Amino acid sequence: MGDLVQQAVLNAEEEIEIAAQRHRPPRFHTRDDPFQLLSDAAFLKMYRMTKELAQNIIDLVDPYIVPQTRCSALDTSVKVLTALRFFASGSYQLDIGKNVNSAVSQASTSQCINEVVEALNQPQIFDEWVKFPQNFRELNNIRNEFYQRYQFPGVIGCVDCTHVAIVPPKSNDAVYPEHIYVNRKNYHSINVQLVCDANLRILNVNARYPGSTHDSFIWNNSNVLDFLQNLHTRGHSTYYVLGDSGYALRPWLMTPIQNVVPNTPEGRYNESQKRTRSIIERCNGVLKMRFRCLLKHRVLHYHPEKAGKIIKVCVVLHNMCIANNVEEQEDNDEVEVDFGMNINDEQIAHNERVNPQLAAGRTMQARIIRNYF
C-alpha cells in the first residue's frame, strides 16, 4: 500500500511539473520563416527587396559571416534578414529583434547588423556594386543613356550631397569631435556625396565627411574629380558631370548660369541642365525611402565611422535593387528628405573670377550652348 501511495504522489508531482512547463513562457522566441510566411508583396514591403534578391544576398555574404558553432546559433539567413529589416525600417535594434521574423535579442540584433555591414563593405562585394566607369565603353554607355533620355550632351554622372542624421559623437573625441558634425540646419549628420547615372545607379559614394563640411570641399577631395581631371588632361574633354550652383564651374563639371533670360540659349541650357541634374535628387530620395534608416528623423545611433559603413551598405543594396528591377516602395507617412546644402553662389563667383579652370569651364559651357541650345 505504501508503495502505491508513493507512486501516486510521484505521478501527481510529474503531472504538476508537466502542467507548469506547459504554461511556462518559452526560453526563446518562436521565429517564423519570412520566405514561407510572407507573400511576395509583404516581403518586399518589409525588406525592400524581393525574396530572390534577398536569397542572393544571403549567398553572397555567407563566406564573410561568422559560421555557426552550436545548434542554437543564428544562421546567415536570420542575420541577413535581421540586418535588412533594420536598414529598411530604421527602427531601434530592440524592436527589430522582437519581430517574429527575427525573434532575437537586442545584443544579437546588434551583432547581426555588425556582421552584415562588415561583409557588404568587403572590397570584393562593394567594389563590384559601386564603381565609377573606368573605360571608354562604360563612359560612352552612360553618356548615351543621359543623352537619349535628357538630350544633354556629354554627361557621365550627376553629383550632389545629402545629409544623414547621426547621434552626436562624444564632445571630447579627438578624431570625431562633436561640433564638426553639426550642419547648417543645426542637427548632427554626415554629409554624403553621391554620383549617379541616368538609371539612378550610384556610381560613387563618399560618406566620410561631417555635416559641417561644404559640398564643394567634398567634391574637391573626391577621387572622381581626380579621374575627370586626368581624363581632360589626356584630351578627352567631352565627358563631364552635372552639379548645382553650389559647385564651381569647371570643364569637367557643368553648373547653371546665374541670372539668365528665359527663351534664350542660356535659358534653354539652364532648363536642360536642371532637368537632367534632377536625377540625382530623385536618386537621393529613392535611396532614403527604400532604406529608411537614412532618413533624418530616424537617426543612425552609431559612431560616425560605423554610420558611414551603414550608408555604404545601403548604397550597395540600392544598386542591387536597381540591377534587379525591384520596384520602389512608397509609404503613406510624410517624411523629410534632406538633400544637402549649397554654398552661396555669388561668393563662389567672386572668389574664382581669375581662376584659369573657371575660365576653361566657361569656354566649355559656351561651346555646349552654341552647339546644342
Side-chain angles (χ1 to χ4, degrees):
M1 180 66 71
D3 291 342
L4 293 175
V5 172
Q6 186 177 5
Q7 184 62 44
V9 171
L10 291 174
N11 291 341
E13 290 178 348
E14 185 177 356
E15 290 180 3
I16 292 172
E17 178 62 22
I18 293 174
Q21 290 186 7
R22 188 181 299 121
H23 294 89
R24 185 179 298 161
R27 185 176 179 183
F28 299 102
H29 295 290
T30 300
R31 182 182 301 118
D32 294 324
D33 182 0
F35 286 101
Q36 300 295 328
L37 178 69
L38 299 178
S39 67
D40 291 344
F43 190 98
L44 180 61
K45 184 175 181 61
M46 177 165 288
Y47 297 106
R48 293 302 196 263
M49 58 188 59
T50 62
K51 293 180 181 180
E52 180 181 6
L53 178 54
Q55 185 60 58
N56 290 342
I57 294 171
I58 292 168
D59 296 338
L60 180 66
V61 305
D62 187 61
Y64 307 97
I65 297 296
V66 177
Q68 290 177 274
T69 56
R70 62 185 190 277
C71 61
S72 60
L74 302 178
D75 61 21
T76 301
S77 179
V78 173
K79 291 178 179 180
V80 170
L81 291 177
T82 299
L84 290 179
R85 181 57 188 157
F86 172 78
F87 303 142
S89 69
S91 300
Y92 292 104
Q93 293 178 358
L94 182 60
D95 298 327
I96 297 297
K98 286 182 178 179
N99 187 293
V100 295
N101 302 304
S102 300
V104 298
S105 67
Q106 185 276 327
S108 295
T109 301
S110 179
Q111 184 62 31
C112 292
I113 295 171
N114 288 337
E115 287 190 42
V116 174
V117 166
E118 291 300 323
L120 288 172
N121 269 278
Q122 293 296 317
Q124 298 91 326
I125 296 177
F126 183 85
D127 293 345
E128 177 66 24
W129 285 98
V130 185
K131 53 186 177 182
F132 201 79
Q134 294 297 308
N135 56 60
F136 287 107
R137 179 182 60 81
E138 294 175 352
L139 287 169
N140 291 335
N141 286 341
I142 294 176
R143 185 173 64 175
N144 292 338
E145 287 177 347
F146 268 109
Y147 189 75
Q148 290 173 7
R149 187 168 300 183
Y150 298 104
Q151 287 73 56
F152 200 107
V155 182
I156 57 171
C158 295
V159 61
D160 200 5
C161 287
T162 185
H163 287 268
V164 175
I166 62 171
V167 294
K170 296 179 180 179
S171 58
N172 59 351
D173 193 313
V175 180
Y176 303 98
E178 174 269 337
H179 68 276
I180 68 173
Y181 287 89
V182 180
N183 62 31
R184 190 182 67 175
K185 296 186 178 180
N186 206 34
Y187 67 90
H188 296 81
S189 70
I190 294 176
N191 196 10
V192 183
Q193 177 182 278
L194 301 175
V195 180
C196 79
D197 68 9
N199 296 311
L200 302 181
R201 182 167 57 99
I202 296 174
L203 306 174
N204 180 265
V205 55
N206 189 327
R208 297 186 292 112
Y209 288 94
S212 63
T213 310
H214 287 301
D215 295 3
S216 61
F217 180 88
I218 300 175
W219 170 252
N220 288 335
N221 290 275
S222 168
N223 54 7
V224 175
L225 172 59
D226 293 338
F227 175 84
L228 289 169
Q229 286 179 319
N230 183 54
L231 200 63
H232 279 246
T233 299
R234 291 160 53 196
H236 305 289
S237 59
T238 56
Y239 302 93
Y240 42 80
V241 299
L242 300 185
D244 61 26
S245 54
Y247 296 96
L249 176 66
R250 294 291 184 265
W252 46 81
L253 194 150
M254 292 292 105
T255 61
I257 303 173
Q258 301 301 308
N259 304 317
V260 298
V261 178
N263 298 320
T264 63
E266 291 76 14
R268 290 190 290 273
Y269 163 88
N270 262 18
E271 291 176 3
S272 182
Q273 199 270 0
K274 180 179 180 180
R275 184 173 63 253
T276 309
R277 193 187 74 238
S278 67
I279 192 73
I280 186 62
E281 296 180 358
R282 182 169 172 232
C283 180
N284 286 339
V286 170
L287 173 66
K288 288 188 174 183
M289 292 304 296
R290 180 171 270 150
F291 302 108
R292 298 167 72 86
C293 67
L294 305 181
L295 286 171
K296 174 184 174 182
H297 68 283
R298 298 298 168 95
V299 185
L300 288 176
H301 288 251
Y302 294 93
H303 188 269
E305 182 178 1
K306 181 62 173 295
K309 289 184 177 181
I310 291 174
I311 294 167
K312 291 172 64 179
V313 164
C314 291
V315 168
V316 170
L317 297 175
H318 166 87
N319 281 355
M320 289 180 174
C321 290
I322 295 296
N324 288 272
N325 299 312
V326 177
E327 63 184 79
E328 299 171 23
Q329 293 295 293
E330 296 183 2
D331 292 272
N332 295 327
D333 55 325
E334 295 183 2
V335 295
E336 177 184 351
V337 178
D338 193 336
F339 293 114
M341 51 185 164
N342 298 328
I343 303 174
N344 183 276
D345 302 334
E346 295 180 359
Q347 182 179 357
I348 291 179
H350 173 75
N351 291 340
E352 303 187 5
R353 282 193 186 111
V354 296
N355 189 311
Q357 291 183 343
L358 175 62
R362 287 174 174 165
T363 299
M364 174 64 73
Q365 190 179 60
R367 184 184 308 163
I368 294 171
I369 293 172
R370 182 173 62 253
N371 292 337
Y372 293 93
F373 299 98

